[in-house]
Amino acid sequence: NDDGVVLGDSIANPSDMDNHGQRPEISRAFLGVLGNSTRYSDTLGRDMVYLALPVFNLSGKSLVLRTATPLRTISSDLRNAYMKIAVAGAISLILVSILGFALTSRVNGALQIIQNAVREYSKGNLSFRPRVFRPPELKRVADTISDLAGDLLSRAADASRQRDKLETIFAGMEEAVIVLDTNLAIQEMNESAYRLSD
């Protein structure tokens, strides 16, 4: 109470206990703030951590509620907590490293496939198709490159068919046809033109 008299205790007999009015955590609690203190307890014979809740009124009396726990228990709990945090941190670091390595390997692999595709296209092999599935961004790049190559291959095939068709028509013409460049040099001539030159 506000006289420092202990009214109840969960371990010791209050009548055997000293006046607690001058205990630091009790004094602070009676000032209306949370009180705490770590010190040796004569009653229990060990270092304790105390916490006192600010003053409250009960049936017209000003009272403070205080709780305590052995410092050794808190230290042990803190050590266990720090150990768990350290282990969790180490595991998280390992998992992040593995994930980062996997992602880097996947990205590098996808980039290598795209690079191979560009190399093949530069050689004229437009039938090459890069197979990239992940990551999604690089898959879209590979698919776009593949679509462009397919489109070019289709156009090249169309152009080849048109050229073959024109060559067939050109060769089958009875009239002599000679194709000259801007310098009037002969570039193409059909069979009829060859016969004329004889």
Short mmCIF file of all heavy atoms in Angstrom, two decimals, residues 6-50:
data_model
loop_
_atom_site.label_atom_id
_atom_site.label_comp_id
_atom_site.label_asym_id
_atom_site.label_seq_id
_atom_site.Cartn_x
_atom_site.Cartn_y
_atom_site.Cartn_z
N VAL A 6 3.62 -4.56 2.72
CA VAL A 6 3.28 -5.61 1.77
C VAL A 6 2.00 -6.28 2.24
O VAL A 6 1.92 -6.81 3.34
CB VAL A 6 4.42 -6.65 1.68
CG1 VAL A 6 4.03 -7.77 0.71
CG2 VAL A 6 5.72 -6.00 1.24
N LEU A 7 0.98 -6.26 1.40
CA LEU A 7 -0.32 -6.82 1.78
C LEU A 7 -0.47 -8.28 1.39
O LEU A 7 -1.27 -9.00 1.98
CB LEU A 7 -1.44 -5.99 1.11
CG LEU A 7 -1.45 -4.49 1.44
CD1 LEU A 7 -2.55 -3.78 0.66
CD2 LEU A 7 -1.65 -4.28 2.95
N GLY A 8 0.28 -8.69 0.37
CA GLY A 8 0.17 -10.08 -0.07
C GLY A 8 1.37 -10.46 -0.91
O GLY A 8 1.95 -9.62 -1.59
N ASP A 9 1.76 -11.74 -0.85
CA ASP A 9 2.90 -12.22 -1.62
C ASP A 9 2.65 -13.68 -1.98
O ASP A 9 2.10 -14.43 -1.17
CB ASP A 9 4.20 -12.08 -0.82
CG ASP A 9 5.43 -12.29 -1.68
OD1 ASP A 9 5.79 -13.46 -1.92
OD2 ASP A 9 6.02 -11.28 -2.12
N SER A 10 3.04 -14.06 -3.20
CA SER A 10 2.76 -15.43 -3.64
C SER A 10 3.77 -16.45 -3.13
O SER A 10 3.56 -17.65 -3.28
CB SER A 10 2.74 -15.48 -5.19
OG SER A 10 4.00 -15.04 -5.69
N ILE A 11 4.87 -15.98 -2.51
CA ILE A 11 5.90 -16.92 -2.05
C ILE A 11 6.12 -16.82 -0.53
O ILE A 11 6.02 -17.81 0.18
CB ILE A 11 7.23 -16.68 -2.79
CG1 ILE A 11 7.06 -16.96 -4.28
CG2 ILE A 11 8.34 -17.56 -2.22
CD1 ILE A 11 8.30 -16.67 -5.10
N ALA A 12 6.42 -15.60 -0.05
CA ALA A 12 6.76 -15.42 1.37
C ALA A 12 5.56 -14.89 2.16
O ALA A 12 4.57 -14.42 1.58
CB ALA A 12 7.94 -14.46 1.49
N ASN A 13 5.67 -14.97 3.48
CA ASN A 13 4.63 -14.46 4.38
C ASN A 13 4.81 -12.94 4.50
O ASN A 13 5.85 -12.47 4.97
CB ASN A 13 4.75 -15.14 5.74
CG ASN A 13 3.64 -14.73 6.68
OD1 ASN A 13 2.85 -13.83 6.38
ND2 ASN A 13 3.57 -15.38 7.83
N PRO A 14 3.80 -12.12 4.12
CA PRO A 14 3.94 -10.67 4.16
C PRO A 14 4.30 -10.12 5.54
O PRO A 14 5.00 -9.12 5.65
CB PRO A 14 2.57 -10.17 3.70
CG PRO A 14 1.98 -11.29 2.93
CD PRO A 14 2.50 -12.54 3.58
N SER A 15 3.83 -10.78 6.60
CA SER A 15 4.10 -10.27 7.95
C SER A 15 5.58 -10.39 8.32
O SER A 15 6.06 -9.71 9.22
CB SER A 15 3.24 -11.03 8.98
OG SER A 15 3.54 -12.41 8.95
N ASP A 16 6.31 -11.26 7.62
CA ASP A 16 7.75 -11.44 7.88
C ASP A 16 8.60 -10.52 7.00
O ASP A 16 9.83 -10.55 7.10
CB ASP A 16 8.18 -12.89 7.63
CG ASP A 16 7.49 -13.86 8.59
OD1 ASP A 16 7.10 -13.41 9.69
OD2 ASP A 16 7.33 -15.04 8.22
N MET A 17 7.96 -9.71 6.14
CA MET A 17 8.70 -8.92 5.17
C MET A 17 8.89 -7.49 5.64
O MET A 17 8.06 -6.95 6.37
CB MET A 17 7.97 -8.95 3.81
CG MET A 17 7.83 -10.37 3.25
SD MET A 17 6.85 -10.45 1.75
CE MET A 17 8.01 -9.79 0.58
N ASP A 18 10.00 -6.87 5.25
CA ASP A 18 10.30 -5.47 5.57
C ASP A 18 9.33 -4.55 4.84
O ASP A 18 8.63 -4.95 3.91
CB ASP A 18 11.74 -5.11 5.15
CG ASP A 18 12.78 -5.94 5.90
OD1 ASP A 18 12.47 -6.41 6.99
OD2 ASP A 18 13.89 -6.10 5.34
N ASN A 19 9.34 -3.29 5.28
CA ASN A 19 8.59 -2.26 4.58
C ASN A 19 9.25 -2.03 3.22
O ASN A 19 10.46 -1.88 3.10
CB ASN A 19 8.60 -0.96 5.40
CG ASN A 19 7.67 0.06 4.81
OD1 ASN A 19 7.92 0.61 3.75
ND2 ASN A 19 6.58 0.34 5.53
N HIS A 20 8.40 -2.02 2.17
CA HIS A 20 8.91 -1.91 0.79
C HIS A 20 8.74 -0.51 0.21
O HIS A 20 8.98 -0.31 -0.98
CB HIS A 20 8.19 -2.92 -0.11
CG HIS A 20 8.70 -4.33 0.02
ND1 HIS A 20 8.97 -4.93 1.23
CD2 HIS A 20 9.01 -5.25 -0.93
CE1 HIS A 20 9.38 -6.16 1.04
NE2 HIS A 20 9.43 -6.39 -0.28
N GLY A 21 8.37 0.43 1.01
CA GLY A 21 8.08 1.78 0.52
C GLY A 21 9.26 2.45 -0.16
O GLY A 21 9.07 3.29 -1.05
N GLN A 22 10.50 2.10 0.24
CA GLN A 22 11.68 2.77 -0.32
C GLN A 22 12.32 1.97 -1.47
O GLN A 22 13.34 2.41 -2.01
CB GLN A 22 12.72 2.98 0.80
CG GLN A 22 12.23 3.89 1.92
CD GLN A 22 11.79 5.25 1.39
OE1 GLN A 22 12.51 5.87 0.61
NE2 GLN A 22 10.62 5.70 1.82
N ARG A 23 11.72 0.86 -1.81
CA ARG A 23 12.27 0.10 -2.94
C ARG A 23 12.11 0.94 -4.22
O ARG A 23 11.05 1.55 -4.44
CB ARG A 23 11.55 -1.24 -3.10
CG ARG A 23 11.55 -2.09 -1.83
CD ARG A 23 12.96 -2.61 -1.52
NE ARG A 23 13.06 -3.15 -0.16
CZ ARG A 23 12.82 -4.40 0.18
NH1 ARG A 23 12.44 -5.27 -0.74
NH2 ARG A 23 12.96 -4.80 1.42
N PRO A 24 13.13 1.00 -5.07
CA PRO A 24 13.10 1.90 -6.23
C PRO A 24 11.90 1.70 -7.15
O PRO A 24 11.27 2.67 -7.57
CB PRO A 24 14.41 1.59 -6.98
CG PRO A 24 15.22 0.71 -6.12
CD PRO A 24 14.39 0.25 -4.98
N GLU A 25 11.57 0.44 -7.41
CA GLU A 25 10.45 0.20 -8.33
C GLU A 25 9.11 0.61 -7.70
O GLU A 25 8.21 1.10 -8.39
CB GLU A 25 10.42 -1.28 -8.77
CG GLU A 25 10.05 -2.28 -7.71
CD GLU A 25 11.21 -2.66 -6.80
OE1 GLU A 25 12.32 -2.11 -6.95
OE2 GLU A 25 10.99 -3.53 -5.94
N ILE A 26 8.99 0.46 -6.36
CA ILE A 26 7.76 0.85 -5.66
C ILE A 26 7.63 2.37 -5.65
O ILE A 26 6.55 2.93 -5.93
CB ILE A 26 7.76 0.30 -4.22
CG1 ILE A 26 7.86 -1.24 -4.22
CG2 ILE A 26 6.53 0.75 -3.47
CD1 ILE A 26 6.68 -1.94 -4.78
N SER A 27 8.73 3.05 -5.38
CA SER A 27 8.71 4.53 -5.35
C SER A 27 8.29 5.08 -6.71
O SER A 27 7.47 6.01 -6.79
CB SER A 27 10.10 5.06 -4.99
OG SER A 27 10.48 4.61 -3.71
N ARG A 28 8.84 4.51 -7.78
CA ARG A 28 8.47 5.00 -9.12
C ARG A 28 7.02 4.71 -9.43
O ARG A 28 6.32 5.53 -10.04
CB ARG A 28 9.39 4.36 -10.18
CG ARG A 28 10.82 4.92 -10.15
CD ARG A 28 11.69 4.26 -11.22
NE ARG A 28 11.17 4.40 -12.56
CZ ARG A 28 11.30 5.50 -13.30
NH1 ARG A 28 11.94 6.56 -12.81
NH2 ARG A 28 10.80 5.55 -14.51
N ALA A 29 6.54 3.54 -9.02
CA ALA A 29 5.14 3.19 -9.29
C ALA A 29 4.19 4.14 -8.58
O ALA A 29 3.16 4.53 -9.14
CB ALA A 29 4.88 1.74 -8.86
N PHE A 30 4.52 4.56 -7.36
CA PHE A 30 3.66 5.50 -6.64
C PHE A 30 3.73 6.91 -7.25
O PHE A 30 2.88 7.74 -6.97
CB PHE A 30 4.02 5.53 -5.15
CG PHE A 30 3.28 4.49 -4.37
CD1 PHE A 30 3.96 3.43 -3.76
CD2 PHE A 30 1.90 4.54 -4.23
CE1 PHE A 30 3.29 2.46 -3.04
CE2 PHE A 30 1.22 3.57 -3.51
CZ PHE A 30 1.91 2.52 -2.92
N LEU A 31 4.74 7.14 -8.12
CA LEU A 31 4.79 8.41 -8.85
C LEU A 31 3.99 8.34 -10.15
O LEU A 31 3.89 9.31 -10.90
CB LEU A 31 6.25 8.77 -9.18
CG LEU A 31 7.14 9.13 -7.98
CD1 LEU A 31 8.59 9.33 -8.43
CD2 LEU A 31 6.61 10.37 -7.28
N GLY A 32 3.41 7.15 -10.42
CA GLY A 32 2.54 7.00 -11.59
C GLY A 32 3.24 6.48 -12.84
O GLY A 32 2.68 6.55 -13.93
N VAL A 33 4.47 5.96 -12.69
CA VAL A 33 5.18 5.42 -13.85
C VAL A 33 5.54 3.97 -13.58
O VAL A 33 5.55 3.52 -12.44
CB VAL A 33 6.45 6.23 -14.18
CG1 VAL A 33 6.12 7.64 -14.60
CG2 VAL A 33 7.41 6.24 -12.98
N LEU A 34 5.85 3.25 -14.65
CA LEU A 34 6.24 1.84 -14.51
C LEU A 34 7.59 1.77 -13.82
O LEU A 34 8.56 2.36 -14.27
CB LEU A 34 6.30 1.19 -15.90
CG LEU A 34 6.49 -0.31 -15.94
CD1 LEU A 34 5.27 -1.03 -15.39
CD2 LEU A 34 6.76 -0.76 -17.38
N GLY A 35 7.65 1.03 -12.72
CA GLY A 35 8.91 0.91 -11.98
C GLY A 35 9.59 -0.40 -12.24
O GLY A 35 8.92 -1.43 -12.34
N ASN A 36 10.92 -0.39 -12.37
CA ASN A 36 11.65 -1.64 -12.55
C ASN A 36 13.01 -1.53 -11.87
O ASN A 36 13.56 -0.44 -11.71
CB ASN A 36 11.82 -1.99 -14.03
CG ASN A 36 12.56 -0.92 -14.80
OD1 ASN A 36 13.76 -0.83 -14.72
ND2 ASN A 36 11.82 -0.09 -15.54
N SER A 37 13.52 -2.69 -11.46
CA SER A 37 14.79 -2.70 -10.74
C SER A 37 15.36 -4.11 -10.77
O SER A 37 14.62 -5.09 -10.83
CB SER A 37 14.56 -2.27 -9.28
OG SER A 37 15.75 -2.35 -8.54
N THR A 38 16.70 -4.20 -10.75
CA THR A 38 17.38 -5.49 -10.67
C THR A 38 18.34 -5.42 -9.48
O THR A 38 19.21 -4.55 -9.43
CB THR A 38 18.19 -5.76 -11.97
OG1 THR A 38 17.29 -5.76 -13.09
CG2 THR A 38 18.88 -7.12 -11.89
N ARG A 39 18.14 -6.33 -8.49
CA ARG A 39 18.99 -6.30 -7.29
C ARG A 39 18.87 -7.62 -6.53
O ARG A 39 18.03 -8.47 -6.86
CB ARG A 39 18.58 -5.12 -6.39
CG ARG A 39 17.21 -5.22 -5.82
CD ARG A 39 16.92 -4.12 -4.81
NE ARG A 39 15.64 -4.33 -4.19
CZ ARG A 39 14.48 -4.06 -4.75
NH1 ARG A 39 14.44 -3.53 -5.96
NH2 ARG A 39 13.36 -4.30 -4.12
N TYR A 40 19.69 -7.73 -5.50
CA TYR A 40 19.70 -8.93 -4.66
C TYR A 40 18.51 -8.88 -3.70
O TYR A 40 18.23 -7.86 -3.08
CB TYR A 40 21.01 -9.02 -3.88
CG TYR A 40 21.13 -10.26 -3.06
CD1 TYR A 40 21.50 -11.47 -3.66
CD2 TYR A 40 20.89 -10.24 -1.69
CE1 TYR A 40 21.62 -12.62 -2.89
CE2 TYR A 40 21.00 -11.39 -0.93
CZ TYR A 40 21.36 -12.58 -1.53
OH TYR A 40 21.46 -13.72 -0.78
N SER A 41 17.79 -10.01 -3.58
CA SER A 41 16.65 -10.09 -2.66
C SER A 41 17.09 -10.79 -1.37
O SER A 41 17.53 -11.94 -1.39
CB SER A 41 15.51 -10.88 -3.31
OG SER A 41 14.51 -11.16 -2.35
N ASP A 42 16.96 -10.04 -0.24
CA ASP A 42 17.30 -10.64 1.06
C ASP A 42 16.30 -11.74 1.40
O ASP A 42 16.66 -12.73 2.04
CB ASP A 42 17.28 -9.56 2.16
CG ASP A 42 18.41 -8.55 1.97
OD1 ASP A 42 19.48 -8.96 1.47
OD2 ASP A 42 18.21 -7.37 2.29
N THR A 43 15.05 -11.56 0.99
CA THR A 43 14.00 -12.54 1.31
C THR A 43 14.24 -13.87 0.61
O THR A 43 14.13 -14.94 1.21
CB THR A 43 12.62 -11.98 0.91
OG1 THR A 43 12.42 -10.72 1.53
CG2 THR A 43 11.50 -12.94 1.32
N LEU A 44 14.61 -13.79 -0.68
CA LEU A 44 14.77 -15.01 -1.48
C LEU A 44 16.22 -15.45 -1.59
O LEU A 44 16.50 -16.58 -2.00
CB LEU A 44 14.19 -14.79 -2.88
CG LEU A 44 12.68 -14.46 -2.90
CD1 LEU A 44 12.24 -14.13 -4.32
CD2 LEU A 44 11.87 -15.62 -2.35
N GLY A 45 17.16 -14.55 -1.27
CA GLY A 45 18.57 -14.91 -1.30
C GLY A 45 19.14 -15.07 -2.70
O GLY A 45 20.03 -15.91 -2.90
N ARG A 46 18.67 -14.29 -3.66
CA ARG A 46 19.21 -14.35 -5.03
C ARG A 46 18.89 -13.06 -5.77
O ARG A 46 18.04 -12.28 -5.33
CB ARG A 46 18.66 -15.55 -5.78
CG ARG A 46 17.16 -15.64 -5.79
CD ARG A 46 16.70 -16.94 -6.44
NE ARG A 46 15.32 -17.22 -6.11
CZ ARG A 46 14.64 -18.25 -6.59
NH1 ARG A 46 15.24 -19.09 -7.40
NH2 ARG A 46 13.40 -18.46 -6.25
N ASP A 47 19.59 -12.86 -6.87
CA ASP A 47 19.34 -11.67 -7.70
C ASP A 47 17.99 -11.81 -8.39
O ASP A 47 17.67 -12.85 -8.97
CB ASP A 47 20.44 -11.51 -8.76
CG ASP A 47 21.76 -11.08 -8.13
OD1 ASP A 47 21.72 -10.30 -7.17
OD2 ASP A 47 22.83 -11.53 -8.60
N MET A 48 17.22 -10.71 -8.33
CA MET A 48 15.87 -10.72 -8.90
C MET A 48 15.68 -9.51 -9.81
O MET A 48 16.34 -8.48 -9.65
CB MET A 48 14.82 -10.68 -7.78
CG MET A 48 14.89 -11.81 -6.79
SD MET A 48 14.38 -13.40 -7.49
CE MET A 48 12.61 -13.12 -7.63
N VAL A 49 14.74 -9.64 -10.72
CA VAL A 49 14.30 -8.52 -11.57
C VAL A 49 12.87 -8.19 -11.14
O VAL A 49 12.01 -9.07 -11.10
CB VAL A 49 14.33 -8.90 -13.07
CG1 VAL A 49 13.78 -7.74 -13.91
CG2 VAL A 49 15.75 -9.23 -13.50
N TYR A 50 12.65 -6.91 -10.78
CA TYR A 50 11.35 -6.48 -10.27
C TYR A 50 10.67 -5.55 -11.27
O TYR A 50 11.32 -4.74 -11.93
CB TYR A 50 11.51 -5.74 -8.93
CG TYR A 50 12.09 -6.58 -7.84
CD1 TYR A 50 13.46 -6.55 -7.55
CD2 TYR A 50 11.28 -7.42 -7.08
CE1 TYR A 50 14.01 -7.32 -6.55
CE2 TYR A 50 11.82 -8.20 -6.06
CZ TYR A 50 13.18 -8.15 -5.81
OH TYR A 50 13.71 -8.92 -4.80
#
